Amino acid sequence: MLSQQFQQALEACPLIAIIRGVTPDEIDMVANTLLEAGVRVIEIPLNSPVEPLNSIERLAKIMDDFAETTICGAGTVLTPEQVQSVQNAGGKIIVSPNCDPEVIRATNDRKLISVPGCLTPSEAFSALKAGARVLKMFPVADFPAQYLESLGAVVPKDVLTLAVGGITDTNMEEYWKAGARGFGLGSNIYAAGDNASQIADKARIMVDAAKRAQALG
């Protein structure tokens, strides 16, 4: 199942690389560098300025050919129509900055993975009611880790919680202890225009930090 693929990829490395600004001409280099560093989940936001759907299509082919379990998709997905476009391009994860029940339902109808953005209990339970089983807590680092832990006391235990926004190599362990089981990373793993060496260096630091957090159990 697709949800198992996502879970297996996160178990291999609990990071989602958010590669905003990547172009179709760069995606081979960027994706292969991240995969070689151990990243197994990659997201291309739809508000990337240059042909994000073309980049997703190329990324999906790269990841399908990779020897280990990987998965990719799109971020900043705001409408049901965009869900369809991402699926047509080969993306399997639908990530949003907000909680929109229409987008969640459209994602589930297409048997893709819905990752809505939430921050409050009301948003979290609205997402769950619409059918989400993964919650993107965003922007999580604007609040102490205790906030995430408190929210986890009422969210069902089988719901996967991701910490996104302000996550660094220095605070992953704190948010893991609070209940996060994956981390979304932006410019601290990839910034538009980064070369292979820069991406590899950033990814190595973040993958190492994520695995230290994961080792906490």
Side-chain angles (χ1 to χ4, degrees):
M1 293 177 60
L2 195 55
S3 59
Q4 291 177 331
Q5 182 182 354
F6 183 46
Q7 189 164 359
Q8 287 171 4
L10 282 178
E11 286 173 355
C13 178
L15 294 181
I16 300 173
I18 304 167
I19 54 174
R20 177 175 281 105
V22 72
T23 69
D25 289 341
E26 298 168 326
I27 189 61
D28 292 60
M29 177 275 289
V30 174
N32 283 312
T33 302
L34 290 169
L35 290 169
E36 288 169 10
V39 174
R40 296 293 177 261
V41 185
I42 302 178
E43 165 197 334
I44 298 178
L46 292 186
N47 62 351
S48 295
V50 182
E51 301 179 340
L53 289 170
N54 285 346
S55 295
I56 292 169
E57 185 172 4
R58 295 185 64 144
L59 175 61
K61 292 175 181 175
I62 293 166
M63 298 185 82
D64 284 345
D65 290 339
F66 194 71
E68 298 179 24
T69 300
T70 62
I71 195 166
C72 70
T76 321
V77 180
L78 303 176
T79 68
E81 292 76 18
Q82 289 178 328
V83 174
Q84 182 65 66
S85 296
V86 172
Q87 184 179 41
N88 291 344
K92 298 174 181 177
I93 308 168
I94 302 296
V95 185
S96 301
N98 62 328
C99 174
D100 186 329
E102 287 188 6
V103 172
I104 296 169
R105 285 192 285 267
T107 302
N108 288 342
D109 287 346
R110 289 165 177 79
K111 302 190 185 306
L112 305 175
I113 297 170
S114 178
V115 187
C118 306
L119 191 59
T120 67
S122 294
E123 290 170 336
F125 280 94
S126 177
L128 296 177
K129 185 177 181 180
R133 304 311 297 168
V134 182
L135 300 179
K136 166 187 168 181
M137 302 309 297
F138 171 80
V140 71
D142 288 348
F143 294 81
Q146 177 61 45
Y147 178 82
L148 184 63
E149 185 175 354
S150 297
L151 186 60
V154 293
V155 170
K157 299 304 180 186
D158 63 337
V159 171
L160 178 63
T161 300
L162 306 176
V164 184
I167 295 298
T168 70
D169 58 310
T170 62
N171 63 13
M172 284 186 198
E173 291 188 22
E174 181 181 4
Y175 282 94
W176 186 276
K177 290 176 182 176
R181 287 300 176 263
F183 306 101
L185 303 175
S187 60
N188 50 6
I189 199 165
Y190 170 81
D194 279 355
N195 60 37
S197 177
Q198 291 170 314
I199 297 166
D201 287 345
K202 289 181 179 181
R204 176 183 51 77
I205 292 169
M206 295 301 167
V207 169
D208 287 349
K211 293 195 171 182
R212 286 196 301 272
Q214 189 179 40
L216 296 172

